[in-house]
Amino acid sequence: MNAKDIIAFARDIKKNWHTNDPYKIAEHLGITVLNRDNCPKGFTAQTVKIDGYPTIISINSAYTEFSRKVLCAHELGHALLHENCVNHFAVTSRNVTTGIEQEANLFAIALLTDHDFDKKVTIPLSNMNNYILKSIMDYNIRTEE
């Protein structure tokens, strides 16, 4: 999928389900979302999607409620856009060249922002590279303090 298709897909989901809450959307789609306590250091979230098994998104409960929604939206992007996967909210040597993190970031931002987001920024969402998308995501992720 190209950037415009991912944005349209996220906005169609929002329109069809009348919500941009990734937890509610996941529930509608039969995707289990677990908020996990006592996670290993550095763990934010992951998606486990394997043929023949239910898709599960795990999110570190040490993050704020808003941050967990951002993480859930990103992981929901993986669940809906990518085939069999185990994804962590990070760019690694295994996924850096695939674009899957950029696609999940783009999906999350398109899902969580309002339709006129492009009018509020200088670069259209569809033209943002992953450095910009990840910066937006990182800015909105905070642990409970």
Side-chain angles (χ1 to χ4, degrees):
M1 267 188 189
N2 66 38
K4 289 182 182 182
D5 291 338
I6 292 169
I7 294 166
F9 181 54
R11 290 182 175 157
D12 284 347
I13 288 171
K14 202 170 16 177
K15 181 179 174 186
N16 289 339
W17 294 109
H18 306 288
T19 184
N20 70 342
D21 185 330
Y23 282 89
K24 291 178 182 177
I25 294 166
E27 182 180 346
H28 284 299
L29 298 172
I31 297 170
T32 301
V33 180
L34 304 171
N35 288 305
R36 302 263 184 182
D37 295 324
N38 303 317
C39 295
K41 184 178 179 175
F43 178 83
T44 51
Q46 75 175 15
T47 300
V48 177
K49 180 179 177 182
I50 302 169
D51 283 340
Y53 294 91
T55 300
I56 299 172
I57 295 172
S58 297
I59 300 171
N60 187 336
S61 62
Y63 290 90
T64 65
E65 181 180 348
F66 180 78
S67 296
R68 289 192 307 268
K69 280 189 175 182
V70 172
L71 291 166
C72 187
H74 172 91
E75 295 302 328
L76 184 60
H78 283 305
L80 298 176
L81 297 171
H82 306 125
E83 292 304 315
N84 292 346
C85 60
V86 177
N87 287 310
H88 299 272
F89 187 75
V91 176
T92 66
S93 59
R94 289 180 58 207
N95 67 21
V96 71
T97 59
T98 65
I100 63 173
E101 291 303 314
Q102 180 171 354
E103 292 170 354
N105 288 336
L106 181 61
F107 177 88
I109 293 168
L111 182 70
L112 295 172
T113 58
D114 54 23
H115 197 69
D116 64 346
F117 179 75
D118 280 346
K119 295 175 186 171
K120 299 174 184 176
V121 294
T122 56
I123 301 171
L125 186 55
S126 60
N127 291 346
M128 290 183 184
N129 62 29
N130 197 41
Y131 178 80
I132 296 169
L133 296 170
K134 185 161 177 15
S135 295
I136 293 168
M137 298 292 288
D138 288 348
Y139 179 81
N140 287 287
I141 297 173
R142 304 275 182 271
T143 57
E144 298 280 357
E145 298 179 277

